[in-house]
């Protein structure tokens, strides 16, 4: 599933390519993905200018004067800028057609979403899919103090708290394992046991890890590609993720793996305590 770095890479590409252009038409080839797609999107968007491409957590927000198109890429979706005469592929479900190109959403599993939030309904941040999300990791609101306060009394393992997205968004499975390694924290540690100092290290590690992943174009484990069709390579730089049995890049001890709520966790017993 594309996580924050992958979605940010896509957002940046779409902002450079499509923002400021006028939508000529919207073509729907499927009535629904995870939820029904508004059938009147063509009427809503034809003739309107795409003002900005933003991100909230793992959601893309395509901004128009009269509302936001909320897009989620699901498990394996992609949204890419392509030629108007580009041949259709299987699972090409939605097109935003512009004068000199198309934004095309492809979603093989149909776990993604294309939804409309009208400006008359208030800020898009109040949309049911967005209003309960945690803070953005690069915002001023996110720091060790917030993480420490949110973890008080929480018996859940710290990795699971990060994955929940209720405290901070975007720390998916890869980036949780890598952030905890950078911070020297064992992923099974109960959240409530973390001191303020360790939470500060973890908050810094999260920002460093996500920044590095964005700079590397995200992680391509299966089918993620950017809006230009390029793969990410952060997975080649991982310290622990998907390296079970291999020597730790820092101490040489074999990287270990375990399952936490059906998700693979990777860690180093020599570096994480």
């Amino acid at each position: 599933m594309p996580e924050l770095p992958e979605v940010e890479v896509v957002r940046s590409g779409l902002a450079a390519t499509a923002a400021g252009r006028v939508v000529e038409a919207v073509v729907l080839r499927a009535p629904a993905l995870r939820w029904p797609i508004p059938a009147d999107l063509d009427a809503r968007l034809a003739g309107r200018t795409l003002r900005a491409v933003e991100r909230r957590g793992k959601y893309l927000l395509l901004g128009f004067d009269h509302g936001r198109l909320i897009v989620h890429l699901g498990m394996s979706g992609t949204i890419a800028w392509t030629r108007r005469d580009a041949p259709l592929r299987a699972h090409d479900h939605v097109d935003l057609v512009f004068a000199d190109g198309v934004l095309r959403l492809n979603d093989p599993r149909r776990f993604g979403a294309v939804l409309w939030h009208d400006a008359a309904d208030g800020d898009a941040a109040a949309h049911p899919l967005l209003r309960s999300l945690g803070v953005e990791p690069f915002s001023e609101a996110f720091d060790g103090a917030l993480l420490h306060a949110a973890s008080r009394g929480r018996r859940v393992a710290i990795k699971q708290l990060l994955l929940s997205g209720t405290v901070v968004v975007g720390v998916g499975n890869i980036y949780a394992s890598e952030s905890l390694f950078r911070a020297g924290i064992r992923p099974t540690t109960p959240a409530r046991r973390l001191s303020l100092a360790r939470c500060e290290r973890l908050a810094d590690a999260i920002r460093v890890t996500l920044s590095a992943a964005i700079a590397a174009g995200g992680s391509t484990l299966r089918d993620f590609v950017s809006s230009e069709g390029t793969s990410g390579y952060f997975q080649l730089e991982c310290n622990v993720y998907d390296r079970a049995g291999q020597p730790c890049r820092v101490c040489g001890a074999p990287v270990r793996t375990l399952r936490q709520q059906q998700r693979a966790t990777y860690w180093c017993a020599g570096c994480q305590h």
Side-chain angles (χ1 to χ4, degrees), residues 148 152 158 185 189-196 198-199 202:
H148 186 256
R152 297 309 85 194
I158 183 57
I185 298 170
T189 302
R192 64 179 180 173
R193 289 181 52 191
L194 293 181
S195 65
L196 176 58
R198 299 186 88 193
C199 286
L202 180 54

Side-chain angles (χ1 to χ4, degrees), residues 57 67 164 217 242:
S164 72
D242 203 26

Side-chain angles (χ1 to χ4, degrees), residues 82-169:
T82 188
R83 307 185 321 272
R84 289 182 60 139
D85 61 351
L88 287 174
R89 303 169 298 163
H91 316 299
D92 282 342
H93 299 311
V94 181
D95 284 357
L96 268 63
V97 182
F98 299 86
D100 54 352
V102 175
L103 281 185
R104 179 163 289 165
L105 175 68
N106 183 283
D107 187 358
R109 301 185 188 183
R110 295 196 185 186
F111 285 167
V114 176
L115 303 171
W116 176 252
H117 181 85
D118 201 273
D121 295 327
D123 194 330
H127 189 279
L129 291 175
L130 307 179
R131 64 190 176 202
S132 63
L133 295 178
V135 300
E136 291 287 331
F138 299 117
S139 71
E140 293 183 359
F142 180 63
D143 57 15
L146 180 142
L147 191 55
H148 186 256
S151 62
R152 297 309 85 194
R154 301 294 299 271
R155 299 181 182 218
V156 65
I158 183 57
K159 184 183 179 232
Q160 298 309 115
L161 183 63
L162 295 179
L163 290 182
S164 72
T166 57
V167 178
V168 57
V169 296

